[in-house]
Amino acid sequence: MVITGIYYALGLIAGGLAAGYFIKPAWGIPFYILAAFCLNFFRDPDRAVPGGPVAVSPADGKIVSVKEMDPTHTRVSIFMNVFDVHVNRSPIAGVIREIQYKPGKFLNAAVDEAATDNEQNVLTVDGEDGAKVVFTQIAGLIARRIICYKHPGDRVKAGERIGLIKFGSRVDVFFGPEWNVDVKPGETVSAGLSILARRK
């Protein structure tokens, strides 16, 4: 579990205890419910990452779009609701060549405009076998903070944790001509477990 969730939960529990003590016990219940929500939201389960020449999902959620950006590049968009695990993972093993932060709006992350207009963090990973994957952490209507643990030059494993986005958001993954995309809109995926694409 991400340590942030524990801090939020402890703060809310303290607020519930204070409300129950100074007002009446029932006033503490909403605080306890929110504390349970935070513990669930910030959960971080271990995942058995599949091997082979594949790219795994960087996020838990629902595939809302698989769009050809040009004849050789495809964008896969994953929407995370507030009940999904929000820890993000690297789709492939390799070296993080670039991380670019872009300020922006906080539109509903499920709409197409969020890909260009919302606040986002763009990571480029150069694979060990010459492949490349670009993926973007995108803030949403409720999510107001993007967290990235990594820096340019860091080496990552496939499925390794790279950060998270708080409270509902989206991750876009861009695949070049060396990849065959293996998912369709409407599918549910899990970070580090579900295969999004395979090397040609």
Side-chain angles (χ1 to χ4, degrees), residues 34-153:
L34 287 173
F37 169 79
C38 285
L39 290 174
N40 180 70
F41 178 88
F42 287 102
R43 67 195 186 280
D44 183 15
D46 290 329
R47 301 279 169 84
V49 182
V54 299
V56 297
S57 177
D60 283 28
K62 183 179 180 180
I63 304 291
V64 293
S65 173
V66 177
K67 182 177 181 179
E68 290 188 6
M69 308 304 292
D70 58 50
T72 59
H73 290 78
T74 302
R75 185 190 74 198
V76 176
S77 301
I78 305 163
F79 176 71
M80 296 177 283
N81 65 41
V82 294
F83 300 106
D84 290 316
V85 173
H86 273 58
V87 174
N88 301 143
R89 296 170 180 259
S90 178
I92 62 173
V95 176
I96 298 177
R97 178 167 58 83
E98 183 179 13
I99 300 176
Q100 183 180 10
Y101 169 76
K102 298 179 180 180
K105 301 176 182 179
F106 297 98
L107 303 174
N108 182 346
V111 302
D112 201 54
E113 291 82 357
T116 54
D117 295 351
N118 279 21
E119 177 181 278
Q120 54 193 266
N121 203 41
V122 185
L123 296 92
T124 301
V125 180
D126 287 336
E128 298 171 341
D129 57 356
K132 181 177 79 171
V133 170
V134 178
F135 64 106
T136 307
Q137 298 174 286
I138 303 174
L141 184 65
I142 301 174
R144 297 291 171 133
R145 188 177 180 193
I146 296 171
I147 297 173
C148 182
Y149 308 140
K150 302 298 182 180
H151 303 89

